[in-house]
Amino acid sequence: MSVKSEVKLEFAEVDSRLIHISERISKDLLYLCPLCKQEVISRKGPQRRHHFAHKPESNCSASEETILHFNAKNYLAYCITAYEMNLEEIIFNIPIGLLDESIQKVIQILGIQYYPLSLYKLKSYYHFSRAKTEQRIGNYVADVLVKCEEYSDEYEYDDEVIDRGYFLFEMRVSHEIGEEKERDLLESGIPFIEAIPEQTERGYTFRVTSMSLYSLLKDSKDQLIRLLSTHFEEELIQVGKNMFNSTVEKELRKTAIERAIENVDDLNLRDYISKEQFASINAIEAKAYMSEVHQTVALQSIRYKTGREDKSYISINEHLYWVRSENILYDVVKKLDKQGYKVELLIGGYSNSSKSKVVGFRFQLPDRYLYGEQLKRIMKAGLMDLLNNVNEEEE
């Protein structure tokens, strides 16, 4: 796996305790690199991702793969234990090839190659209690071992703790989990995920390469079957055979399709479209003619400022300014129009002129809600085609 050069150290040791860069940093304490035990300092500037950095004279030999592996496993353990973290934003993208064949059919309808599973859903379903890194379980050492516990009554002081076993995470950076370890984990019945971590501006996303989530995915499958039963032909036909004879199978298929059409509106397709997937689908780049792009930075602020000789100019992120702004606007409008987005002209003028001019534009841009609604219409059209095919078979 190739690792991007921006991988930075996110954890440091202080008083034999591991802390994350997001925690409060004290100038009176000594922070050490957990990998080489040399002193590190915090970098919390406004432009770059916050991290710990070695001093110039450091000779730390940890590779970027080692740092990424260390960051990812400790970040997972930290997020599971820290109650203030937003676990909805930490996504495990499961390739549809790892899913049950019946679930694959549903996901493929949406044109999505990955099933997004949030850490929040994992924690809620398996009752994550606390997590530690590099913990031995059986014959192996887990990157992240999670203790799963459920409380019988959260409103009583003497809650009974119900032991739900363990959950295991493995971070795949330079080495995969291995066939022997994967086989042993599957035989043990311990649910687990092996994933390739990717560092983002907001934390991490994970691409799953191996897993055992039988009960969770089974429940997800049961929910989807109720809404899209027509795409589970084998299960549907088996139920039909148990209840009726073969002469009513076509009527059963027809009823299932009609029921699916009725229930499409209850399906929240936005839950299956992550922010990263939506952004990649709708991103359009516009720039000044013949210019070169050296890096991409998130927009933090844009406003008018007054410079020398009382001349106004547009300030971006407080220290950047436009290059050929009219040319950039031209490229934005042209590309949106070419991509099929609806662009309307705003015609008007000013009080001291009666001549009509173009004073602005109105862009009709997609959002996750409208995108989900459009997918519903596509699904309904597909289901109607299936229903028509069944009616034609009867004729």
Side-chain angles (χ1 to χ4, degrees):
M1 171 187 172
S2 61
V3 182
K4 298 180 180 180
S5 59
E6 61 262 31
V7 173
K8 302 292 184 182
L9 186 64
E10 296 182 353
F11 289 87
E13 285 186 3
V14 57
D15 296 333
S16 300
R17 182 174 65 90
L18 201 64
I19 70 162
H20 188 253
I21 188 63
S22 62
E23 299 182 48
R24 182 179 178 182
I25 305 299
S26 172
K27 295 181 179 180
D28 300 327
L29 296 176
L30 178 65
Y31 296 87
L32 302 178
C33 170
L35 302 172
C36 70
K37 308 304 179 183
Q38 298 180 46
E39 184 178 358
V40 291
I41 54 178
S42 63
R43 299 292 192 193
K44 289 193 173 187
Q47 300 299 323
R48 303 180 64 182
R49 181 179 175 84
H50 295 176
H51 64 280
F52 289 101
H54 289 80
K55 290 189 173 182
E57 64 272 15
S58 168
N59 59 355
C60 181
S61 60
S63 66
E64 291 179 343
E65 287 87 353
T66 300
I67 296 174
L68 177 60
H69 184 266
F70 185 88
N71 280 345
K73 66 185 179 182
N74 281 284
Y75 183 77
L76 265 184
Y78 176 77
C79 290
I80 291 170
T81 306
Y83 292 101
E84 69 272 13
M85 299 298 294
N86 185 0
L87 304 187
E88 290 280 12
E89 295 183 354
I90 303 174
I91 301 297
F92 290 84
N93 289 312
I94 305 174
I96 60 173
L98 295 180
L99 300 173
D100 182 89
E101 183 178 350
S102 54
I103 301 181
Q104 289 184 34
K105 295 177 182 179
V106 179
I107 302 300
Q108 286 174 333
I109 293 174
L110 306 176
I112 296 173
Q113 297 302 311
Y114 294 92
Y115 180 90
L117 181 64
S118 70
L119 184 57
Y120 175 81
K121 187 169 185 178
L122 284 168
K123 183 174 182 178
S124 301
Y125 187 86
Y126 289 103
H127 306 287
F128 289 178
S129 175
R130 56 191 180 276
K132 293 184 178 181
T133 62
E134 297 299 316
Q135 296 295 302
R136 178 166 291 279
I137 180 167
N139 298 324
Y140 302 100
V141 175
D143 282 342
V144 182
L145 185 64
V146 185
K147 182 61 183 173
C148 304
E149 296 174 329
E150 184 178 5
Y151 293 91
S152 60
D153 188 347
E154 61 181 356
Y155 300 107
E156 296 291 340
Y157 290 105
D158 56 346
D159 296 345
E160 178 186 357
V161 179
I162 304 173
D163 190 346
R164 297 299 185 188
Y166 293 95
F167 192 101
L168 187 149
F169 290 99
E170 288 290 326
M171 297 295 100
R172 179 175 173 178
V173 177
S174 56
H175 302 288
E176 60 186 35
I177 193 173
E179 293 183 2
E180 182 180 355
K181 185 175 182 180
E182 182 179 23
R183 182 176 62 253
D184 289 348
L185 286 173
L186 290 171
E187 292 177 355
S188 72
I190 299 175
F192 73 90
I193 286 178
E194 178 198 46
I196 298 174
E198 180 180 346
Q199 195 175 55
T200 68
E201 289 300 318
R202 299 178 65 88
Y204 287 85
T205 58
F206 300 87
R207 180 165 61 86
V208 177
T209 54
S210 179
M211 65 179 186
S212 176
L213 305 173
Y214 176 77
S215 59
L216 186 152
L217 294 177
K218 183 180 183 299
D219 288 350
S220 298
K221 172 184 172 181
D222 292 343
Q223 295 172 6
L224 292 172
I225 286 177
R226 287 195 293 269
L227 293 173
L228 296 172
S229 57
T230 184
H231 294 284
F232 297 86
E233 184 177 5
E234 294 181 2
E235 292 89 342
L236 184 61
I237 292 176
Q238 186 60 46
V239 172
K241 286 182 178 180
N242 294 337
M243 298 177 64
F244 308 99
N245 58 43
S246 60
T247 60
V248 299
E249 286 184 9
K250 288 185 178 180
E251 187 62 29
L252 183 61
R253 289 170 58 195
K254 181 178 178 180
T255 301
I257 294 173
E258 292 172 341
R259 187 170 299 172
I261 293 173
E262 295 173 357
N263 290 328
V264 164
D265 288 332
D266 296 330
L267 184 62
N268 189 358
L269 298 182
R270 286 172 290 169
D271 289 344
Y272 299 94
I273 306 174
S274 69
K275 294 179 180 179
E276 291 80 6
Q277 290 165 337
F278 183 76
S280 65
I281 292 172
N282 295 286
I284 292 178
E285 181 180 284
K287 62 187 184 70
Y289 181 66
M290 295 294 288
S291 62
E292 296 182 357
V293 177
H294 297 150
Q295 62 175 321
T296 301
V297 179
L299 177 66
Q300 296 176 346
S301 66
I302 179 170
R303 59 175 179 158
Y304 272 102
K305 285 187 176 181
T306 302
R308 296 177 180 178
E309 300 179 0
D310 293 330
K311 290 185 177 181
S312 297
Y313 66 96
I314 297 175
S315 171
I316 302 175
N317 289 2
E318 300 300 331
H319 68 287
L320 299 173
Y321 61 92
W322 290 96
V323 173
R324 302 182 66 185
S325 57
E326 184 176 10
N327 188 241
I328 295 176
L329 176 61
Y330 165 81
D331 201 34
V332 170
V333 175
K334 183 178 180 180
K335 287 186 175 178
L336 286 173
D337 181 61
K338 187 176 181 180
Q339 291 293 328
Y341 293 96
K342 185 177 180 181
V343 180
E344 295 179 341
L345 304 179
L346 302 181
I347 307 298
Y350 297 93
S351 58
N352 59 356
S353 174
S354 60
K355 187 177 181 179
S356 295
K357 299 179 181 179
V358 177
V359 297
F361 299 92
R362 177 183 288 121
F363 308 115
Q364 184 173 327
L365 302 177
D367 59 29
R368 293 178 71 191
Y369 174 79
L370 294 177
Y371 197 74
E373 294 301 306
Q374 181 64 23
L375 285 174
K376 287 183 183 180
R377 288 192 287 269
I378 294 173
M379 291 178 65
K380 280 188 176 180
L383 290 170
M384 287 301 301
D385 287 342
L386 289 176
L387 185 60
N388 291 335
N389 291 338
V390 173
N391 291 333
E392 290 175 1
E393 291 177 5
E394 292 178 351
E395 296 175 1

